[in-house]
Amino acid sequence: MKKFLNSPQTLLEESFDGFVAARADIIVACEERKFLRRRTLKPGKVALISGGGSGHEPLHAGFVGHGMLDATCPGQIFTSPTPDQMFAAVEAVDQGEGVVLIVKNYEGDVMNFEMAAEMTDGRCATVITDDDVAVETSTNSTGRRGVAGTLIVEKIVGAAAEMGMKRSEPQALGQNANRRTRSMGVALTPCTLPAAGKPNFDLGDKEIEMGVGIHGEPGRRRVPMASAHAMVEEIVKAILDDLAPRRGDDALLFVNGFGGTPLIELYLLYYEAARMIEAAGIKPARSLVGSYVTSLDMAGASITLSMLDDSSAKLWDAPVHTPALRWGA
Amino acid sequence: MKKFLNSPQTLLEESFDGFVAARADIIVACEERKFLRRRTLKPGKVALISGGGSGHEPLHAGFVGHGMLDATCPGQIFTSPTPDQMFAAVEAVDQGEGVVLIVKNYEGDVMNFEMAAEMTDGRCATVITDDDVAVETSTNSTGRRGVAGTLIVEKIVGAAAEMGMKRSEPQALGQNANRRTRSMGVALTPCTLPAAGKPNFDLGDKEIEMGVGIHGEPGRRRVPMASAHAMVEEIVKAILDDLAPRRGDDALLFVNGFGGTPLIELYLLYYEAARMIEAAGIKPARSLVGSYVTSLDMAGASITLSMLDDSSAKLWDAPVHTPALRWGA
């Protein structure tokens, strides 16, 4: 294992503290690193909280700030945060207008966020993301997994809350955005958990895992290494088959790196994916390319297609000022 | 070799086209992909052009836009662009106020940009970056190599030009920023050039290359794998010894990933580096953490320290709107 590391036991604290120090313009750390919150909370706004296991950076801490999350609770690597962390975050950022929790569909996360919601006497509404079309049920999830599309849901709900909508409305917009969003990924290599010190699954030198999850969960099939064109074709076909979009509609096309894949390759994937969705009659009216929802050092990428209407396009375009996404603010 | 790739012969064109398609809000491609330019040129402004071999994305194309570059010429992978490309870019973006060329100090780049400058009858002034303290002369350079600090020079010069300064002033500010900026990197793995299909140097499973160049050039020494703390200590010491900053001064601390290293590790490096420069009496008044000046898929990182005064801090903070850096605009 070759990583920048002092010890697996201190990695999360040190990386957390480095993040907070580097982004003190936007972020404040709270109470023994239970959660991070936006430096300037906005009175009267519905609060928005997410969280999940660490190892997917910049998700979620990189999306805390104006127009997106008010707080996030980082768990141990690939491990849900605790209800105690979430409860502390709710107490800290609730402005009296209630809270929307955005939760990726993994059993641990869903259970713990549910417990936290129960502890807050009805102040929390939940949006669960399950955008991964690769498999129906997986190692850590009943039903589909929540993956890179979670970023889009966080942006849409965050913009709605920032505009002053009351709690049920951002929640409904988030659920709707999740329904209109589909993703699928492919791994060229496994990732290595620092505490384990070895790859979290085996993959041959000439094999890829098509439909891999963001914790290295098995995908649809293990196949021989293929051209970028062939891989994108399989992913885009899986997404379009499932989403069945209407020809002529606009979409956000998001190509996401898993942590070990450079930008030059991600733009090649965008090139392939954009041509294929255009050939299917869909216009890539918005785009996002980068490593935003990662799996530690995994080489690989996912493609997300999110269908837009006037309302969701406006919410996507709305100002955002976070460490990892910034425009118009 | 596991990369997203159709063929080494088509990678650059496809990735270039994907980039231009994804960022058509900011970027226009010109004349058979000779160069990229800012969509909206600003009349009366000194123009700013950079360029160099591909494989360092988002450098330089990701820094084209308001407040930074007007155009960039991408070469083949790790290969200088041609004078012909640069001349075409000068012709396209010169607004009659002359052009500043920002050139990383490699023999091929310097020679070709000099030839292009000669072809333009005195319209071009040059800033050469050579911020790498690792070695004095390297495989492809006489004198120090230009590495991640180039981003800072491009930002400072770009802001000065955007504010309406005439040609000699941004050039002088860029030369001054380069003198106040020092970098050093470390490789955990080599990178793989697509056409070669194998790593561009050998590195044992438990070895690192301390002081590596951004094309995989040899550094100061090859040493056994060490803790993040020990690696950062060696790098920060090399930078501080060379820069000899005055205690109490402000600096921009930039932790840069080489392409295969995830953000969680880069923030750990930032944590270590910030504490060390603070212990040396330097305040990390500005920060930047991410993979901005890469070496294809190399795992590794560099640290850059750039000393700030009121003028350079103001230019760093000035609005920028490019694919890879954006704030205040």
Side-chain angles (χ1 to χ4, degrees):
Chain A
M1 176 179 63
K2 272 174 151 182
K3 285 178 188 290
F4 292 112
L5 191 68
N6 292 318
S7 131
Q9 285 71 45
T10 58
L11 168 63
L12 290 184
E13 292 186 2
E14 291 163 348
S15 185
F16 182 104
D17 289 355
F19 176 73
V20 171
R23 300 317 307 256
D25 53 329
I26 300 179
I27 301 289
V28 183
C30 296
E31 292 184 39
E32 299 163 2
R33 305 186 187 87
K34 276 185 186 168
F35 62 97
L36 291 159
R37 74 162 171 82
R38 183 171 158 171
R39 177 169 286 283
T40 312
L41 296 171
K42 188 168 173 179
K45 188 181 89 65
V46 172
L48 185 49
I49 298 176
S50 190
S54 293
H56 305 300
E57 293 68 25
L59 184 84
H60 299 272
F63 307 135
V64 172
H66 178 92
M68 266 179 107
L69 303 176
D70 293 283
T72 181
C73 306
Q76 295 296 305
I77 287 184
F78 292 178
T79 303
S80 173
T82 62
D84 174 51
Q85 289 178 264
M86 299 161 189
F87 181 72
V90 170
E91 290 291 307
V93 302
D94 184 4
Q95 302 293 302
E97 295 292 336
V99 178
V100 177
L101 305 174
I102 298 185
V103 186
K104 299 193 297 303
N105 188 37
Y106 299 99
E107 281 159 12
D109 293 292
V110 170
M111 185 180 71
N112 288 344
F113 270 104
E114 263 175 20
M115 285 179 62
E118 280 168 20
M119 292 158 74
T120 64
D121 301 320
R123 280 185 284 158
C124 295
T126 300
V127 177
I128 292 178
T129 63
D130 60 352
D131 52 306
D132 190 343
V133 301
V135 293
E136 286 303 318
T137 282
S138 185
T139 323
N140 307 306
S141 68
T142 303
R144 291 181 173 187
R145 304 174 296 218
V147 291
T150 307
L151 178 161
I152 297 167
V153 173
E154 291 180 356
K155 175 68 182 77
I156 299 274
V157 178
E162 200 75 47
M163 287 173 187
M165 292 184 198
K166 293 309 170 193
R167 198 180 63 172
S168 61
E169 216 173 340
Q171 181 192 27
L173 286 163
Q175 289 166 337
N176 189 39
N178 178 62
R179 274 192 296 273
R180 298 164 67 99
T181 300
R182 296 289 190 280
S183 304
M184 193 161 119
V186 59
L188 307 190
T189 71
C191 57
T192 296
L193 278 72
K198 59 183 180 57
N200 69 339
F201 59 95
D202 292 317
L203 199 57
D205 278 351
K206 297 187 172 174
E207 281 181 332
I208 57 175
E209 181 74 30
M210 181 57 70
V212 70
I214 58 171
H215 311 92
E217 300 97 333
R220 290 186 169 190
R221 58 200 197 105
R222 186 159 295 188
V223 290
M225 186 66 193
S227 70
H229 179 86
M231 287 191 257
V232 174
E233 194 166 48
E234 179 162 351
I235 291 171
V236 168
K237 183 174 185 312
I239 290 172
L240 290 176
D241 283 353
D242 197 90
L243 196 55
R246 201 169 52 186
R247 285 185 75 87
D249 277 3
D250 283 357
L252 161 60
L253 176 57
F254 170 25
V255 173
N256 174 60
F258 282 153
T261 289
L263 210 46
I264 191 171
E265 297 179 43
L266 299 182
Y267 277 114
L268 165 62
L269 298 180
Y270 184 87
Y271 163 82
E272 292 287 356
R275 285 170 14 134
M276 288 178 205
I277 70 159
E278 280 166 352
I282 308 301
K283 185 182 167 199
R286 302 290 184 282
S287 64
L288 185 68
V289 181
S291 294
Y292 292 102
V293 179
T294 63
S295 306
L296 293 166
D297 53 357
M298 184 187 283
S302 63
I303 295 172
T304 298
L305 195 67
S306 183
M307 303 310 297
L308 297 172
D309 54 21
D310 287 350
S311 154
S312 56
K314 195 173 151 194
L315 292 164
W316 177 258
D317 292 341
V320 60
H321 183 173
T322 69
L325 279 190
R326 182 166 180 183
W327 54 77
Chain B
M1 175 179 63
K2 273 173 150 182
K3 285 179 187 292
F4 291 112
L5 191 67
N6 292 319
S7 131
Q9 286 70 45
T10 58
L11 169 63
L12 290 183
E13 291 187 3
E14 291 163 347
S15 184
F16 182 104
D17 289 355
F19 176 73
V20 171
R23 300 316 307 256
D25 52 329
I26 300 180
I27 300 290
V28 183
C30 296
E31 292 183 38
E32 298 163 4
R33 306 187 186 86
K34 276 186 187 169
F35 63 95
L36 290 159
R37 74 163 173 83
R38 183 171 157 173
R39 177 169 286 283
T40 312
L41 296 171
K42 188 168 173 179
K45 188 180 89 67
V46 172
L48 185 50
I49 299 176
S50 190
S54 293
H56 306 301
E57 292 68 27
L59 184 83
H60 299 271
F63 307 135
V64 172
H66 178 93
M68 266 179 107
L69 304 176
D70 293 283
T72 182
C73 307
Q76 295 297 305
I77 286 184
F78 292 178
T79 303
S80 172
T82 61
D84 173 51
Q85 289 177 265
M86 299 160 188
F87 181 72
V90 170
E91 290 291 308
V93 301
D94 183 4
Q95 302 293 302
E97 296 291 337
V99 178
V100 177
L101 305 175
I102 299 185
V103 186
K104 301 193 297 303
N105 188 36
Y106 298 98
E107 281 159 11
D109 292 292
V110 171
M111 185 181 71
N112 287 345
F113 270 104
E114 263 174 19
M115 285 179 62
E118 280 168 21
M119 291 158 74
T120 63
D121 301 320
R123 280 185 285 158
C124 295
T126 300
V127 177
I128 292 179
T129 64
D130 59 354
D131 52 307
D132 190 342
V133 301
V135 293
E136 286 303 319
T137 281
S138 185
T139 323
N140 308 306
S141 67
T142 303
R144 292 182 173 186
R145 304 173 296 217
V147 290
T150 308
L151 177 161
I152 297 168
V153 173
E154 291 181 355
K155 175 69 181 78
I156 300 274
V157 178
E162 200 75 47
M163 286 174 187
M165 293 184 197
K166 293 309 170 193
R167 198 179 64 172
S168 62
E169 217 173 341
Q171 181 192 26
L173 286 164
Q175 288 166 338
N176 189 38
N178 177 62
R179 275 192 296 271
R180 298 164 68 98
T181 300
R182 296 289 189 281
S183 305
M184 192 161 119
V186 58
L188 307 190
T189 71
C191 57
T192 296
L193 278 72
K198 60 183 179 56
N200 69 339
F201 59 95
D202 291 318
L203 198 57
D205 278 352
K206 298 187 173 174
E207 281 181 331
I208 57 175
E209 181 75 30
M210 180 57 70
V212 71
I214 58 171
H215 311 91
E217 299 99 333
R220 289 186 168 189
R221 57 201 196 106
R222 185 159 295 188
V223 289
M225 184 67 194
S227 70
H229 179 86
M231 286 191 257
V232 174
E233 197 165 46
E234 179 162 351
I235 291 171
V236 169
K237 184 174 185 313
I239 290 172
L240 290 176
D241 283 353
D242 197 272
L243 196 54
R246 203 170 51 185
R247 285 185 76 87
D249 277 3
D250 283 357
L252 161 61
L253 175 58
F254 170 25
V255 173
N256 174 60
F258 281 153
T261 289
L263 209 45
I264 191 171
E265 297 179 42
L266 299 182
Y267 277 113
L268 165 61
L269 299 180
Y270 184 88
Y271 163 82
E272 291 287 355
R275 286 173 11 135
M276 289 176 203
I277 69 159
E278 279 165 352
I282 308 302
K283 184 181 168 201
R286 302 289 186 281
S287 65
L288 186 68
V289 181
S291 294
Y292 292 104
V293 179
T294 63
S295 305
L296 294 167
D297 53 357
M298 184 187 284
S302 62
I303 295 172
T304 298
L305 196 66
S306 182
M307 303 310 297
L308 297 173
D309 55 22
D310 287 350
S311 154
S312 56
K314 195 174 151 194
L315 292 164
W316 176 258
D317 293 341
V320 60
H321 184 173
T322 69
L325 279 191
R326 181 167 179 181
W327 54 76

